[in-house]
């Protein structure tokens, strides 16, 4: 009998270390993310991107401080209720469906992600999570 598919809790527990809020190519933000964050911090949505974002690979990402941390990191995520979709979904993101080996690459920087589980099972779990969340609201 095949083993049951792992659950999200089997694959990931956030340790709140903040490592994912530093470095990388930046945290992608959609227009919807920017509008939500601007409202949350009472910033002018027309100038939000100029003050809090930068461009990377043709996309808007959250700006980082000189120490490499996200501009909204201060020992905790200061915009937690409206943090970008990419942060909310981590590590159950589309790139795992494209190539499940991305799970291992991401786990190298995120101590909350479990390895040692067959990647086809990881991919199936990620697919289930994404399907349960409905259509992508990015725009
Ligand atoms: S690196 Fe992983 S474990 Fe650490 S805060 Fe980010 S998601 Fe959580
Ligand atoms: S928005 Fe919050 S969770 Fe996302 S990278 Fe910035 S500080 Fe971390």
């Amino acid at each position: 009998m095949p083993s049951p598919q792992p659950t999200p809790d089997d694959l990931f527990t956030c340790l709140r270390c903040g490592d994912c809020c530093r470095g990388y190519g930046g945290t992608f933000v959609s227009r919807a993310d920017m509008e939500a964050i601007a409202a949350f911090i009472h910033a002018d949505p027309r100038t939000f991107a100029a003050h809090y974002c930068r461009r990377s690979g043709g996309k808007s990402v959250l700006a980082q401080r000189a120490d490499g941390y996200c501009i909204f990191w201060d020992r905790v995520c200061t915009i937690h209720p409206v943090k970008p979709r990419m942060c909310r979904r981590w590590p159950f993101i589309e790139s795992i469906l494209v190539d499940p080996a991305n799970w291992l690459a991401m786990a190298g920087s995120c101590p909350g992600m479990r390895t040692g589980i067959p990647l086809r099972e990881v991919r199936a779990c990620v697919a289930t999570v994404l399907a349960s969340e409905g259509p992508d609201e990015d725009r």
Side-chain angles (χ1 to χ4, degrees):
M1 199 162 97
S3 58
Q5 179 180 304
T7 68
D9 287 345
D10 291 331
L11 295 177
F12 172 68
T13 303
C14 182
L15 305 179
R16 304 187 186 282
C17 63
D19 286 358
C20 59
C21 303
R22 179 181 58 180
Y24 304 111
T27 301
F28 169 67
V29 275
S30 67
R31 189 184 312 165
D33 288 328
M34 285 194 265
E35 289 172 356
I37 298 167
F40 186 74
I41 66 173
H42 305 296
D44 185 338
R46 293 166 300 183
T47 57
F48 177 84
H51 287 122
Y52 297 98
C53 302
R54 63 179 173 78
R55 299 293 287 177
S56 177
K59 295 183 174 182
S60 293
V61 298
L62 292 180
Q64 295 172 319
R65 301 190 309 248
D67 63 4
Y69 276 97
C70 171
I71 196 168
F72 292 115
W73 173 258
D74 186 12
R75 299 194 206 181
V76 295
C77 175
T78 59
I79 57 167
H80 180 73
V82 291
K83 63 186 178 183
R85 174 179 174 273
M86 180 176 170
C87 304
R88 294 196 307 272
R89 286 194 169 181
W90 178 272
F92 302 96
I93 58 178
E94 283 81 359
S95 69
I96 304 301
L97 305 183
V98 175
D99 182 356
N102 284 330
W103 183 270
L104 301 178
M106 290 158 54
S109 306
C110 173
M113 293 171 65
R114 310 241 156 71
T115 56
I117 297 171
L119 291 179
R120 67 178 179 283
E121 295 181 14
V122 171
R123 187 185 189 285
C125 179
V126 172
T128 300
V129 171
L130 289 174
S132 72
E133 291 181 345
D136 190 334
E137 76 272 24
D138 279 357
R139 49 188 183 209

